[in-house]
């Protein structure tokens, strides 16, 4: 009498064979068992023991999921019914996975610049400032161009998508260029003298903007008087100054939050 029993497990093969993983990446291993009758089946779920010979380099859980920890190599083993199979996992340096640009979607005035920062996130969860090593591009150069790496210049009113690329990974943000802003004011005449009661001077103010342009903003300028403490009083109306008393005073011209000061002298 010959008794035939179930086919016996003879070998275990782990796939993928000898994988290479960047630090922080995981890899699911598959265990394939070959039996005495020549059949092969997936026995991953049946493996009783998964182990790593170098847990400082790579670990493996009870389901055969390998996690890379540090650069190096580790032999991963799977055992069932006294039969084992192995594969060598090689762990390489972490790889770049994403790039984020900050500040996100900024708005800048025409003629001004905005420094963007590119931060790379790697497979091991670490982050690194990669602003200087990234390739920067603008989708609309007539609107936004670069002075240096990540330093965006507002060329014209509009918007542009700014992209930073490194090692095949890209990150983008949209920069909006707004109308130019007032940066300084000049008053004409400046530091002037009024010689007698009733003497009148007509003032004009010129605004200088972030894009290098200038404009007459007399009508939008608020002129206010700062007395010097010697009893001087000057009437202000329609941008006109008229002497009332003698001495020295200071005139402030303000528009859009920008101010300048003018000295007025009235001799005795």
């Amino acid at each position: 009498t010959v008794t035939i029993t179930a086919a016996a497990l003879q070998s275990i093969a782990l796939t993928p064979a000898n994988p290479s993983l960047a630090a922080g990446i995981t890899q699911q291993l598959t265990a394939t068992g070959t039996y005495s009758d020549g059949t092969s089946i997936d026995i991953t779920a049946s493996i009783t023991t998964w182990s790593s010979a170098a847990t400082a380099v790579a670990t493996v859980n009870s389901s055969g999921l390998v996690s890379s920890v540090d650069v190096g190599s580790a032999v991963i083993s799977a055992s069932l019914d006294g039969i084992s199979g192995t594969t060598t996992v090689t762990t390489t340096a972490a790889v770049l996975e994403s790039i984020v640009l900050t500040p996100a979607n900024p708005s800048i005035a025409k003629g001004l610049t905005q420094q963007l920062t590119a931060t790379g996130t790697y497979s091991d969860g670490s982050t690194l400032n990669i602003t200087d090593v990234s390739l920067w591009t603008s989708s609309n150069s007539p609107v936004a161009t670069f002075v240096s790496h990540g330093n965006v210049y507002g060329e014209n009113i509009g918007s542009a998508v700014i992209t930073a690329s490194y090692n095949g990974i890209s990150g983008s943000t949209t920069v909006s260029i707004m109308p130019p802003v007032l940066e300084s004011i000049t008053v004409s005449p400046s530091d002037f003298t009024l010689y007698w009661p009733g003497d009148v001077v007509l003032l004009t103010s010129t605004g200088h903007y972030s894009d290098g342009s200038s404009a007459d903003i007399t009508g939008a300028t608020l002129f206010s008087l700062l007395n010097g403490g010697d009893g001087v009083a000057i009437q202000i109306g329609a941008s006109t100054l008229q002497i009332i008393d003698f001495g020295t005073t200071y005139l402030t011209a303000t528009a859009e939050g920008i101010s300048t000061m003018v000295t007025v002298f009235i001799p005795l």
Side-chain angles (χ1 to χ4, degrees):
T1 301
V2 176
T3 302
I4 308 301
T5 61
L9 180 64
Q10 292 188 323
S11 65
I12 298 174
L14 300 184
T15 53
N18 304 321
S20 180
L21 308 178
I25 299 297
T26 60
Q27 174 69 63
Q28 178 63 53
L29 297 180
T30 298
T32 302
T34 299
Y35 287 80
S36 55
D37 61 355
T39 60
S40 296
I41 61 172
D42 185 339
I43 58 171
T44 305
S46 301
I47 295 295
T48 55
T49 304
W50 290 92
S51 63
S52 169
T55 55
V57 173
T59 60
V60 61
N61 68 8
S62 59
S63 300
L65 182 67
V66 177
S67 298
S68 57
V69 177
D70 201 357
V71 176
S73 61
V75 176
I76 305 298
S77 300
S79 300
L80 176 64
D81 296 339
I83 304 298
S84 297
T86 62
T87 192
T88 299
V89 174
T90 301
T91 303
T92 61
V95 294
L96 181 64
E97 290 190 325
S98 65
I99 297 174
V100 173
L101 303 187
T102 54
N105 304 320
S107 296
I108 60 176
K110 179 183 177 183
L112 296 185
T113 60
Q114 172 69 61
Q115 178 63 56
L116 297 179
T117 299
T119 301
T121 299
Y122 287 78
S123 57
D124 61 355
S126 63
T127 59
L128 183 67
N129 185 332
I130 57 173
T131 303
D132 291 337
V133 297
S134 296
L135 173 65
W136 293 85
T137 58
S138 170
S139 68
N140 194 350
S141 293
V143 168
T145 56
F146 296 101
V147 176
S148 60
H149 282 304
N151 198 12
V152 182
Y153 176 73
E155 192 80 38
N156 288 292
I157 296 172
S159 63
V161 176
I162 305 300
T163 301
S165 302
Y166 183 62
N167 284 350
I169 305 296
S170 297
S172 299
T173 193
T174 299
V175 175
S176 299
I177 311 302
M178 312 304 288
V181 294
L182 182 65
E183 291 190 321
S184 65
I185 299 172
T186 55
V187 175
S188 180
S190 62
D191 302 335
F192 54 89
T193 299
L194 296 173
Y195 289 98
W196 59 80
D199 196 3
V200 174
V201 62
L202 178 63
L203 300 175
T204 60
S205 59
T206 301
H208 306 282
Y209 291 83
S210 57
D211 63 349
S213 63
S214 299
D216 187 332
I217 59 171
T218 304
T221 302
L222 174 64
F223 294 92
S224 56
L225 191 65
L226 298 175
N227 283 341
D230 50 11
V232 173
I234 297 179
Q235 294 176 338
I236 303 174
S239 303
T240 300
L241 296 186
Q242 183 175 2
I243 183 172
I244 299 297
D245 203 349
F246 299 106
T248 300
T249 191
Y250 300 95
L251 184 71
T252 300
T254 303
E256 299 179 28
I258 304 298
S259 297
T260 191
M261 189 172 291
V262 176
T263 301
V264 181
F265 178 64
I266 304 166
L268 294 176

